[in-house]
Amino acid sequence: MDVNGNNSPTISIIMGIYNCAETLPESIESILNQTFTDWELIMCDDGSNDNTYHVAEWYASVYQNKIVLLKNEKNRGLNYTLNKCLEAVKGKYIARMDGDDRCSADRLEIELNTLKQEPEIAIVSSDMQFFDETGIWGNISHPTYPVNRDFLFGSPFCHAPCLVKREAYLAVGGYSDEKSF
């Protein structure tokens, strides 16, 4: 329970959505099918000009106790949109996902167990497969335990499948809203 006596989910999943009406149902369904069920999904439409908002609105109306839908009046970019999602989260842990992603049914359970078993770690991620309508066309993986040199030329984490302690997001002030990012 939070300070107001409300039940807060363990995990808040933040999802910036933009012109992804065709892929969004599959993405949301992969969250709905998680083996770990104590989560909320916070989606923010970033000024889509297709049917994305209406698809998200339908899911938010059907799953009112699980899904929160926000909207930018115009396209502001992913970092701005994710920060807007961060303002609404209630969970102790924050997962990332995009409207064209899908995840395995045990993703949240595995990532959460890792963070609980290793309290000194603030972020976990997994390997990731790239896919399109023709199937899987690539893979990316990173070190199991990154060391300092792994950060020299980029992040050793795949962003889309990461789970992060909320306190870590707070410590860095969320996402940088600078145009270079």
Side-chain angles (χ1 to χ4, degrees):
M1 280 195 196
D2 64 16
V3 293
N4 298 320
N6 300 319
N7 285 332
S8 295
T10 301
I11 296 175
S12 296
I13 304 157
I14 59 173
M15 182 186 288
I17 53 176
Y18 178 72
N19 289 347
C20 57
E22 290 185 23
T23 59
L24 188 57
E26 188 175 7
S27 184
I28 294 172
E29 292 293 333
S30 76
I31 294 169
L32 292 169
N33 292 323
Q34 289 294 299
T35 57
F36 181 83
T37 59
D38 187 21
W39 53 261
E40 68 176 345
L41 171 60
I42 314 255
M43 292 185 288
C44 182
D45 181 75
D46 192 22
S48 295
N49 53 29
D50 69 354
N51 206 29
T52 296
Y53 184 80
H54 299 294
V55 170
E57 189 175 42
W58 182 85
Y59 277 96
S61 70
V62 172
Y63 299 96
Q64 293 177 18
N65 60 333
K66 299 291 272 182
I67 298 176
V68 175
L69 179 59
L70 309 170
K71 185 176 184 177
N72 296 336
E73 292 307 313
K74 63 178 185 171
N75 185 263
R76 302 293 302 264
L78 183 60
N79 287 3
Y80 176 92
T81 302
L82 293 178
N83 281 333
K84 190 169 184 173
C85 290
L86 284 173
E87 291 174 7
V89 301
K90 296 176 188 156
K92 182 177 179 181
Y93 302 92
I94 299 169
R96 268 289 292 123
M97 199 146 150
D98 290 321
D100 61 351
D101 294 342
R102 56 185 183 219
C103 59
S104 62
D106 57 357
R107 172 205 167 183
L108 295 178
E109 182 178 2
I110 290 170
E111 289 180 342
L112 181 61
N113 285 340
T114 301
L115 285 178
K116 287 182 172 183
Q117 290 169 4
E118 303 199 40
E120 70 283 357
I121 295 175
I123 180 173
V124 295
S125 190
S126 66
D127 293 348
M128 191 168 73
Q129 295 177 319
F130 297 99
F131 65 93
D132 59 21
E133 59 280 345
T134 63
I136 296 169
W137 55 266
N139 296 294
I140 187 169
S141 64
H142 295 290
T144 302
Y145 288 94
V147 295
N148 289 346
R149 68 176 150 67
D150 293 324
F151 290 88
L152 288 176
F153 301 105
S155 174
F157 299 103
C158 296
H159 185 227
C162 72
L163 181 68
V164 182
K165 290 180 180 176
R166 182 180 186 176
E167 62 199 43
Y169 272 110
L170 294 174
V172 298
Y175 291 90
S176 173
D177 205 14
E178 293 187 29
K179 298 293 181 203
S180 60
F181 293 105

